[in-house]
Amino acid sequence: MTLSINNISVDILGSSILKNINFQTNKGEIFCLIGTSGAGKSTLLRALNRLQSISKGEIHLNGQSIYKMTPQSLRKSAVMILQTPSLFEGTVEDNILFGVKLNGSYDKTDSKTVARSLLEKVGLETKLLDRNASTLSVGQQQRVSIARAIAMKPTILLCDEITSALDPQSTLHIQELLVTLKREEKLTIILVTHNMDLVQQIADRVGLLIDGKLVEVSPVNEFFNNPTTELGKNFLSTIA
Ligand SMILES: Nc1ncnc2c1ncn2[C@@H]1O[C@H](COP(=O)(O)OP(=O)(O)OP(=O)(O)O)[C@@H](O)[C@H]1O
């Protein structure tokens, strides 16, 4: 088990946004959080690395309460990747090494080798290392964001709609990359997405969030072939 979420709720400005959420993730699984717009998927993801406070419940990462970790060490283990790649004006290498430099956890002498191997891992040519990141395509930038995330040697990637700004070809690249990271790095990946084709291609399990409640958690094939709840059936009928 990597993450254990026990009975958490989130209230924002007096509104109940997440209600008594419970689930666990396994090491090396892709868990897709799906659901209607405004159901609370991003809020839940943000709660997992303390970008959003919770009003009750507990969250443990590798057996430790995330509230007993410093936000810095938590966000090194549970790295968030967003819909729009947030790279700064600078080289691809600088962007990839940004997080590890902040944490002081890299060896300056072999930084180029580290950046090169990370770039290879995400399927980009190493000649891009010295390019200004802003000159890359959005799909390439998203892969640089992923390289920057895995440079931190995280246990969990928290991915919020990371393919929604991408064309189908780039989406396919990211899809393949996530599966490789799960397989080779044994990373746990929580992916918020509206792309049901992507979910069916890569998820191990699916969590369906409706109106702030996690109404169903099922293995992906079971969910799409035989959802166990009425809300699951209704959701699938709206996207068919
Ligand atoms: N900081 C905030 N202030 C006020 N309301 C908020 C805030 N953050 C989230 N909400 C509300 O919480 C609800 C859940 O939002 P959230 O973005 O988590 O949903 P979502 O399932 O990710 O939606 P989508 O699929 O459309 O991105 C929405 O009604 C949203 O307006």
Side-chain angles (χ1 to χ4, degrees):
M1 193 187 299
T2 42
L3 261 183
S4 176
I5 292 103
N6 297 306
N7 219 24
I8 69 161
S9 294
V10 168
D11 300 314
I12 300 177
L13 302 174
S15 296
S16 173
I17 304 296
L18 293 177
K19 297 153 189 154
N20 302 315
I21 305 285
N22 288 286
F23 70 100
Q24 282 81 38
T25 58
N26 302 313
K27 186 173 166 64
E29 81 164 331
I30 299 181
F31 185 98
C32 286
L33 263 179
I34 60 174
T36 45
S37 192
K41 301 177 295 297
S42 296
T43 304
L44 176 54
L45 209 61
R46 288 161 54 78
L48 301 181
N49 78 349
R50 288 176 56 185
L51 288 170
Q52 170 65 55
S53 58
I54 60 176
S55 43
K56 76 173 180 72
E58 290 176 0
I59 303 172
H60 287 83
L61 176 60
N62 299 326
Q64 187 182 8
S65 167
I66 66 168
Y67 289 93
K68 295 209 167 120
M69 303 166 80
T70 62
Q72 192 186 29
S73 77
L74 170 61
R75 288 170 198 157
K76 192 168 174 286
S77 279
V79 183
M80 181 87 83
I81 305 170
L82 301 171
Q83 176 177 356
T84 313
S86 47
L87 305 182
F88 56 82
E89 273 290 327
T91 65
V92 168
E93 179 179 338
D94 286 343
N95 271 280
I96 290 177
L97 297 176
F98 179 69
V100 282
K101 278 184 183 171
L102 265 189
N103 274 284
S105 52
Y106 91 114
D107 177 358
K108 217 172 176 180
T109 51
D110 69 358
S111 61
K112 194 120 203 152
T113 316
V114 170
R116 189 174 291 124
S117 89
L118 286 163
L119 207 58
E120 278 171 354
K121 193 160 279 185
V122 298
L124 290 176
E125 292 181 65
T126 53
K127 69 178 184 200
L128 294 179
L129 267 189
D130 296 322
R131 273 265 293 272
N132 189 308
S134 64
T135 66
L136 302 183
S137 71
V138 181
Q140 289 171 321
Q141 288 185 14
Q142 195 58 294
R143 283 197 265 177
V144 171
S145 301
I146 295 174
R148 179 170 63 191
I150 59 176
M152 309 291 281
K153 300 194 171 62
T155 49
I156 290 216
L157 291 183
L158 305 172
C159 303
D160 198 356
E161 297 266 18
I162 62 170
T163 60
S164 61
L166 306 183
D167 60 78
Q169 187 66 27
S170 300
T171 298
L172 192 61
H173 284 142
I174 298 290
Q175 173 184 321
E176 289 166 354
L177 176 56
L178 293 178
V179 171
T180 304
L181 292 174
K182 163 191 135 152
R183 196 180 53 235
E184 293 181 1
E185 313 288 322
K186 300 286 177 285
L187 275 174
T188 302
I189 297 169
I190 303 186
L191 178 71
V192 167
T193 182
H194 287 281
N195 182 338
M196 293 304 133
D197 290 333
L198 178 64
V199 173
Q200 293 190 71
Q201 291 293 326
I202 70 171
D204 293 295
R205 289 188 302 149
V206 187
L208 175 64
L209 204 58
I210 305 278
D211 193 21
K213 292 185 189 149
L214 191 60
V215 296
E216 179 158 351
V217 175
S218 298
V220 64
N221 289 335
E222 279 180 31
F223 178 74
F224 282 97
N225 293 322
N226 193 16
T228 55
T229 62
E230 280 306 310
L231 287 166
K233 286 179 195 149
N234 288 346
F235 177 77
L236 287 177
S237 70
T238 62
I239 57 164

Coordinates of all heavy atoms in Angstrom, one line a residue, residues 12-13 15 17-18 35-46 52 83 160-161 192-194 209, ligand 1:
I12 N -15.2 23.8 1.7 CA -14.6 25.1 1.2 C -15.7 26.1 1.3 O -16.8 26.0 0.7 CB -14.1 25.0 -0.2 CG1 -13.0 23.9 -0.3 CG2 -13.6 26.3 -0.7 CD1 -12.5 23.6 -1.7
L13 N -15.4 27.2 2.0 CA -16.3 28.4 2.1 C -17.7 27.9 2.6 O -18.8 28.2 2.0 CB -16.5 29.2 0.8 CG -15.2 29.7 0.3 CD1 -15.4 30.4 -1.1 CD2 -14.6 30.8 1.3
S15 N -19.1 25.0 2.0 CA -19.7 24.0 1.2 C -19.0 22.7 1.4 O -17.7 22.7 1.5 CB -19.7 24.3 -0.3 OG -20.4 25.5 -0.5
I17 N -17.4 19.8 -0.1 CA -16.9 19.5 -1.4 C -16.5 18.0 -1.5 O -16.8 17.4 -2.5 CB -15.6 20.4 -1.8 CG1 -16.0 21.8 -1.6 CG2 -15.1 20.0 -3.2 CD1 -17.0 22.4 -2.6
L18 N -15.9 17.4 -0.5 CA -15.6 16.0 -0.5 C -16.2 15.4 0.8 O -16.1 16.0 1.9 CB -14.1 15.8 -0.5 CG -13.3 16.1 -1.8 CD1 -11.8 15.9 -1.6 CD2 -13.8 15.3 -3.0
G35 N -15.2 11.1 -13.1 CA -16.4 11.6 -12.5 C -16.9 12.8 -13.2 O -16.1 13.4 -14.0
T36 N -18.1 13.2 -12.8 CA -18.6 14.4 -13.5 C -17.9 15.7 -13.2 O -17.1 15.7 -12.2 CB -20.1 14.6 -13.0 OG1 -20.1 14.4 -11.6 CG2 -21.0 13.6 -13.6
S37 N -18.0 16.7 -14.0 CA -17.4 17.9 -13.8 C -17.8 18.6 -12.4 O -19.0 18.6 -12.1 CB -17.7 18.9 -15.0 OG -16.9 20.0 -15.0
G38 N -16.8 19.0 -11.7 CA -17.2 19.6 -10.4 C -17.4 18.7 -9.3 O -17.8 19.0 -8.2
A39 N -17.1 17.4 -9.5 CA -17.4 16.3 -8.5 C -16.4 16.4 -7.4 O -16.6 15.9 -6.3 CB -17.3 14.9 -9.1
G40 N -15.2 17.0 -7.6 CA -14.2 17.2 -6.6 C -12.9 16.4 -6.8 O -12.1 16.2 -5.9
K41 N -12.7 16.0 -8.1 CA -11.5 15.2 -8.4 C -10.2 15.9 -8.1 O -9.3 15.4 -7.5 CB -11.5 14.7 -9.9 CG -12.8 13.9 -10.2 CD -12.8 13.5 -11.7 CE -13.0 14.7 -12.7 NZ -14.2 15.4 -12.5
S42 N -10.1 17.2 -8.7 CA -8.9 18.0 -8.5 C -8.7 18.3 -7.0 O -7.6 18.3 -6.5 CB -8.9 19.3 -9.3 OG -9.0 19.0 -10.7
T43 N -9.8 18.6 -6.3 CA -9.7 18.9 -4.9 C -9.1 17.7 -4.1 O -8.3 17.9 -3.3 CB -11.1 19.3 -4.4 OG1 -11.6 20.4 -5.2 CG2 -11.1 19.7 -2.9
L44 N -9.6 16.5 -4.5 CA -9.1 15.3 -3.8 C -7.6 15.2 -4.1 O -6.8 14.9 -3.2 CB -9.9 14.1 -4.3 CG -9.4 12.7 -3.8 CD1 -9.3 12.7 -2.2 CD2 -10.4 11.6 -4.2
L45 N -7.2 15.3 -5.3 CA -5.8 15.2 -5.7 C -4.9 16.2 -4.9 O -3.9 15.9 -4.4 CB -5.6 15.4 -7.2 CG -4.5 14.7 -7.9 CD1 -4.6 13.2 -7.8 CD2 -4.5 15.1 -9.4
R46 N -5.5 17.4 -4.8 CA -4.7 18.5 -4.1 C -4.6 18.2 -2.6 O -3.6 18.5 -2.0 CB -5.4 19.8 -4.3 CG -5.2 20.4 -5.8 CD -6.2 21.5 -6.1 NE -6.2 22.5 -5.2 CZ -5.3 23.5 -5.1 NH1 -4.3 23.5 -6.0 NH2 -5.3 24.5 -4.2
Q52 N -4.5 21.3 -0.6 CA -5.8 21.6 -0.1 C -6.0 21.0 1.3 O -5.6 19.8 1.5 CB -6.9 20.9 -1.0 CG -8.3 20.9 -0.5 CD -8.9 22.3 -0.4 OE1 -8.8 23.1 -1.4 NE2 -9.3 22.7 0.8
Q83 N -2.3 20.0 -15.8 CA -2.8 20.0 -17.2 C -1.9 20.8 -18.1 O -1.5 20.4 -19.2 CB -4.2 20.6 -17.1 CG -4.8 20.8 -18.5 CD -6.2 21.4 -18.3 OE1 -6.7 21.5 -17.2 NE2 -6.8 21.7 -19.4
D160 N -3.0 15.6 -12.8 CA -4.3 16.3 -13.0 C -4.6 16.6 -14.5 O -4.0 17.7 -14.9 CB -4.4 17.5 -12.1 CG -5.9 18.0 -11.9 OD1 -6.8 17.4 -12.5 OD2 -6.1 18.9 -11.1
E161 N -5.3 15.8 -15.2 CA -5.7 16.1 -16.6 C -4.5 16.4 -17.4 O -4.5 17.3 -18.2 CB -6.6 17.4 -16.6 CG -7.9 17.2 -15.9 CD -9.0 16.8 -16.8 OE1 -8.8 16.3 -17.9 OE2 -10.2 16.9 -16.4
V192 N -6.2 11.9 -12.7 CA -7.6 12.5 -12.9 C -7.7 12.8 -14.4 O -6.9 13.4 -15.0 CB -7.7 13.9 -12.2 CG1 -8.9 14.6 -12.6 CG2 -7.7 13.6 -10.6
T193 N -8.8 12.3 -15.0 CA -9.0 12.5 -16.4 C -10.5 12.3 -16.8 O -11.2 11.6 -16.1 CB -8.1 11.5 -17.2 OG1 -8.3 11.8 -18.6 CG2 -8.5 10.1 -17.0
H194 N -10.8 13.0 -17.9 CA -12.2 12.8 -18.5 C -12.0 11.9 -19.7 O -13.1 11.6 -20.4 CB -12.8 14.1 -19.0 CG -13.2 15.0 -17.8 ND1 -14.4 14.8 -17.2 CD2 -12.7 16.0 -17.2 CE1 -14.6 15.7 -16.2 NE2 -13.5 16.5 -16.2
L209 N -16.1 9.4 -8.7 CA -16.4 10.5 -7.8 C -17.7 11.2 -8.3 O -17.6 11.7 -9.5 CB -15.2 11.5 -7.7 CG -15.1 12.3 -6.4 CD1 -15.0 11.5 -5.2 CD2 -13.8 13.1 -6.5
Ligands
LIG1 N1 -10.8 27.3 -3.8 C1 -12.1 27.1 -4.1 N2 -13.1 28.0 -3.8 C2 -14.4 27.8 -4.0 N3 -14.8 26.6 -4.5 C3 -14.0 25.7 -4.9 C4 -12.5 25.9 -4.7 N4 -11.9 24.8 -5.1 C5 -12.9 23.9 -5.6 N5 -14.1 24.5 -5.4 C6 -15.4 23.9 -5.8 O1 -15.3 22.5 -5.5 C7 -16.0 21.7 -6.4 C8 -15.1 20.7 -6.9 O2 -14.1 21.3 -7.8 P1 -13.0 20.4 -8.5 O3 -12.2 21.3 -9.3 O4 -12.3 19.6 -7.5 O5 -13.9 19.4 -9.4 P2 -13.4 18.4 -10.6 O6 -14.1 17.1 -10.4 O7 -11.9 18.3 -10.6 O8 -14.0 19.2 -11.8 P3 -13.5 19.2 -13.4 O9 -13.6 17.8 -13.9 O10 -14.6 20.1 -14.0 O11 -12.1 19.8 -13.4 C9 -16.5 22.7 -7.5 O12 -17.9 23.0 -7.2 C10 -15.6 23.9 -7.3 O13 -16.3 25.1 -7.7

